Amino acid sequence: RGAAAVRLAKQEAEPEACIAAVAIQLGLIHDADRLYRECGRYDLLNQLYQASGFWDRALDVAETKDRIHLKTTHHHYAMHLEAIGDINGAVKHFELADTHRTEVPRMLFDLSQVSRDPKVLSKLEEYIAHSSDPELIKWWAGYCESIGQYDKARHFYHRAQNYFSLVRIACFNREIPRAKNIVEETNNAAAAYYLARYLEGMTEVQEAINYYAQSGCYNHAIRLAKNFGLDSELMSYAIKSRPSLMVECAVYFESKGEFEKAVQLYQK
């Protein structure tokens, strides 16, 4: 133990910190506390308090002298509280650590799996229902979707303003009017693109073109218009597209002898 203490002591620049490291190895915690304060190594003092289980002191030092490690200290304390079964306390300190988005669902979900108590999972749902964090709400929506609870999934996706996922669920359930309403009401580009891809797969070409255009993906609208000979549609979207697509469409019209349209696009 003495050799280990010497090796550990050499890692610190301040003489007092070196001596404090040896003191810790020898069980002289009070002396280590004093030495860390004397040399201003409050980060190491914070670690000492955590390792010794003096969490109130660790949090106080982090709050007043070692703020760079404040969130880390709250996180470590939350993990400690979780280990001793203080779930409410753990939730509070995960939130103060800003790690609650992943840690609180993990903790409560793991607890529900171990205890097989449905009340624990209900507590997780209640926690998320009262949250305003979009990422947390989106995670719960994804979980509800994964177990086939589509009504709940829709509710939480809507709260998270995740319109892409709302359209995806609607298409999965073949609720195309619902998907169209979502796109029209929100004008969400990602949702419009997903619906367009779905409609293309169903060979609903005209509607697919319209939703590709609404999503801003004119390249796909142009691709379909060319493939199905919808030249009037092609011209209207070619004008709105990037220069390389305009030239491509101009070449297409030129090959068909529609020189007026080709010239108009070349001039753009």
Side-chain angles (χ1 to χ4, degrees), residues 157-158 160-168 182-183 186 188 190-191:
Y157 277 135
H158 190 271
Q161 297 183 344
N162 191 319
Y163 303 118
F164 170 84
S165 293
L166 285 171
V167 167
R168 180 171 51 74
I182 293 168
V183 172
T186 65
N188 182 268

Side-chain angles (χ1 to χ4, degrees), residues 32-92:
D33 182 326
R34 175 179 53 79
L35 288 164
Y36 281 142
R37 289 182 180 279
E38 287 179 2
C39 66
R41 290 300 302 271
Y42 293 102
D43 57 327
L44 296 177
L45 181 60
N46 184 356
Q47 292 179 24
L48 173 63
Y49 285 152
Q50 290 184 46
S52 303
F54 300 144
W55 289 102
D56 288 343
R57 296 183 190 179
L59 289 167
D60 180 64
V61 168
E63 183 71 43
T64 58
K65 302 290 187 179
D66 186 32
R67 291 193 64 82
I68 195 171
H69 295 120
L70 179 58
K71 287 187 176 181
T72 303
T73 305
H74 278 296
H75 181 81
H76 290 164
Y77 186 37
M79 296 293 287
H80 167 73
L81 292 172
E82 178 186 354
I84 64 174
D86 184 353
I87 303 303
N88 291 332
V91 168
K92 174 185 175 182

Side-chain angles (χ1 to χ4, degrees), residues 80-265:
H80 167 73
L81 292 172
E82 178 186 354
I84 64 174
D86 184 353
I87 303 303
N88 291 332
V91 168
K92 174 185 175 182
H93 286 278
F94 278 135
E95 289 175 343
L96 290 170
D98 199 29
T99 55
H100 61 286
R101 294 174 187 85
T102 55
E103 293 300 330
V104 171
R106 175 201 57 75
M107 175 179 66
L108 293 177
F109 186 80
D110 288 350
L111 186 59
S112 72
Q113 296 301 297
V114 172
S115 65
R116 299 295 178 182
D117 185 353
K119 292 181 180 179
V120 178
L121 204 58
S122 297
K123 186 173 183 177
L124 174 56
E125 182 175 357
E126 182 182 351
Y127 174 77
I128 293 173
H130 288 88
S131 172
S132 59
D133 190 305
E135 288 301 314
L136 197 56
I137 296 168
K138 179 182 174 182
W139 178 87
W140 181 250
Y143 171 74
C144 291
E145 181 184 355
S146 72
I147 59 175
Q149 295 182 355
Y150 294 112
D151 288 340
K152 279 188 178 181
R154 276 193 287 264
H155 170 73
F156 285 102
Y157 277 135
H158 190 271
R159 281 193 58 199
Q161 297 183 344
N162 191 319
Y163 303 118
F164 170 84
S165 293
L166 285 171
V167 167
R168 180 171 51 74
I169 290 177
C171 289
F172 176 79
N173 290 321
R174 300 182 183 276
E175 299 173 327
I176 307 308
R178 183 197 290 268
K180 291 178 180 178
N181 287 338
I182 293 168
V183 172
E184 297 303 327
E185 290 174 4
T186 65
N187 198 31
N188 182 268
Y193 179 81
Y194 188 91
L195 179 57
R197 287 292 300 269
Y198 181 85
L199 291 170
E200 181 182 355
M202 300 293 290
T203 65
E204 298 287 346
V205 176
Q206 186 60 64
E207 286 193 297
I209 289 173
N210 293 340
Y211 284 112
Y212 275 133
Q214 186 171 341
S215 73
C217 295
Y218 295 112
N219 56 324
H220 290 293
I222 288 169
R223 171 179 57 79
L224 282 182
K226 284 172 64 177
N227 290 345
F228 289 89
L230 302 173
D231 289 356
S232 60
E233 299 281 347
L234 176 59
M235 187 63 186
S236 64
Y237 296 131
I239 291 173
K240 300 175 183 178
S241 66
R242 61 180 183 269
S244 61
L245 283 174
M246 286 187 191
V247 171
E248 182 182 317
C249 292
V251 171
Y252 168 82
F253 283 121
E254 186 178 358
S255 70
K256 296 187 69 174
E258 298 188 45
F259 300 112
E260 185 177 342
K261 291 180 179 179
V263 169
Q264 186 179 352
L265 289 171

